[in-house]
Amino acid sequence: MFKKSLIVDMINRSSETPADRRNFLRGMGLLSAGTVGAGLVGASVAAPAEAAPGDPISDGTVLNFALNLEYLEAEFYCFAAYGHGLSEAMATGTGTMGGVTGGHRVPFKSKSMRYYAEEIANDEIAHVKFLRTALGSAAVSRPAIDLQSSFTGAAVAAGVIKQGETFDPFSSEAFFLLGAFLFEDVGVTAYKGAAPLIQNKDYLEAAAGILAVEAYHAGIVRTLLYENGLSTPTNAISDARDSLDGAGADKDQGITTGASGRANLVPTDANSIAFSRSPQEVLNIVYLTPGTGVSKGGFYPAGLNGDLKTS
């Protein structure tokens, strides 16, 4: 019905690793004898389990890394806006599916801020759906996510609260904005950093579209933080985040500049270009642990699912 080359290309584009290609074949019934012939099975499965050194990271690996991050954002905003997380049907996939600790509806007093939260939540839900559809059977499941002690640890590290105190980003509008700030700039730098790794132009265009949406979200959050007089804790979080990524360069900026407190709503380099972070730098932040060789912690107590999970 299909040419061998077409089926092999479909499998390679929709799968993350050689193991995922085997799962894809098995799910399609192509590992049974005679469906498309031994030549196809040999061509698509005979590769080693691990990519050879120097091989480019597959698009599936990059998209699954993004899906892990989108799970975190979607859970955070869903709880904040609606009081519940993603449905189980949106959390299944390869790897170990974990639960979500913490999270509840934010007692919004401002109608406009509630609307902002709902719109961002809907965007993040859509991102999860899109990436899961693009990845198909290779999509990773939602890893265990901590929306409770992780925020407290981050706030203590930033000096926003003292040791022994608790930071609940769902307890007030101000704390919600500070919690959102922890994610948004990271999402923008993560997608920009991943762009050169994506080989398929269709996926690259889609990733650019998601990056644009994350940038809109970041701009909204930074504006609201500035307008609500939250520059001091926000800038402290920015400094802490920059110290975590291990980049050795300043890839983070607060929402004010200089002693005058002038607004800094768009963090960019000298050429007004957004910063990039490598997957490892992003992992240092979400694990709340600087350095290399770290595979879990912070917002992901059991680590991410997929190949990109160690800093």
Side-chain angles (χ1 to χ4, degrees), residues 3-310:
K3 293 182 179 179
K4 288 182 184 179
S5 60
L6 174 59
I7 297 178
V8 171
D9 184 63
M10 291 166 61
I11 293 168
N12 287 337
R13 286 180 180 278
S14 66
S15 300
E16 179 183 14
T17 63
D20 288 325
R21 288 195 288 273
R22 287 193 290 274
N23 291 335
F24 183 91
L25 284 165
R26 188 175 292 109
M28 293 294 291
L30 300 182
L31 284 184
S32 58
T35 305
V36 292
L40 170 60
V41 176
S44 60
V45 179
E50 297 293 335
D55 282 356
I57 299 174
S58 73
D59 288 351
T61 295
V62 176
L63 295 182
N64 264 324
F65 180 73
L67 179 56
N68 277 280
L69 302 179
E70 293 293 351
Y71 279 135
L72 174 59
E73 288 195 292
E75 293 290 357
F76 172 75
Y77 284 111
C78 278
F79 272 107
Y82 302 119
H84 61 78
L86 297 173
S87 66
E88 186 171 335
M90 288 186 64
T92 59
T94 64
T96 303
M97 184 173 74
V100 179
T101 303
H104 57 85
R105 194 168 190 170
V106 175
F108 290 108
K109 297 179 180 179
S110 163
K111 181 187 292 187
S112 60
M113 197 174 296
R114 176 168 62 85
Y115 286 170
Y116 295 150
E118 290 174 357
E119 180 178 2
I120 295 176
N122 294 339
D123 288 341
E124 301 302 348
I125 293 170
H127 289 169
V128 170
K129 289 180 178 178
F130 171 79
L131 289 172
R132 285 173 59 85
T133 299
L135 286 158
S137 62
V140 295
S141 60
R142 180 196 63 208
I145 290 175
D146 184 347
L147 296 176
Q148 190 168 297
S149 59
S150 56
F151 277 106
T152 295
V156 169
V160 175
I161 60 174
K162 297 178 181 179
Q163 190 72 45
E165 295 180 334
T166 300
F167 182 91
D168 180 3
F170 306 97
S171 62
S172 68
E173 292 177 344
F175 275 23
F176 162 72
L177 289 174
L178 290 170
F181 178 72
L182 268 169
F183 298 139
E184 290 303 341
D185 285 1
V186 177
V188 174
T189 58
Y191 272 103
K192 184 170 181 289
L197 304 176
I198 300 175
Q199 302 168 58
N200 183 294
K201 290 185 178 180
D202 292 333
Y203 290 160
L204 178 59
E205 182 182 14
I210 296 177
L211 187 157
V213 172
E214 298 295 347
Y216 278 124
H217 294 171
I220 291 170
V221 170
R222 292 174 73 93
T223 300
L224 290 172
L225 285 163
Y226 184 80
E227 288 184 345
N228 284 274
L230 295 169
S231 298
T232 298
T234 301
N235 293 348
I237 291 173
S238 173
D239 289 340
R241 195 167 54 193
D242 195 54
S243 68
L244 279 171
D245 66 18
D250 189 355
K251 294 187 175 183
D252 224 293
Q253 293 175 8
I255 57 174
T256 59
T257 59
S260 65
R262 191 179 186 86
N264 181 44
L265 300 182
V266 185
T268 66
D269 65 13
N271 297 311
S272 287
I273 296 175
F275 297 101
S276 299
R277 280 191 172 99
S278 69
Q280 287 67 37
E281 291 166 356
V282 172
L283 288 171
N284 284 338
I285 294 174
V286 297
Y287 288 159
L288 300 180
T289 307
T292 58
V294 180
S295 58
K296 62 182 179 179
F299 294 98
Y300 298 94
L304 273 66
N305 283 322
D307 286 347
L308 282 177
K309 56 187 176 183
T310 303

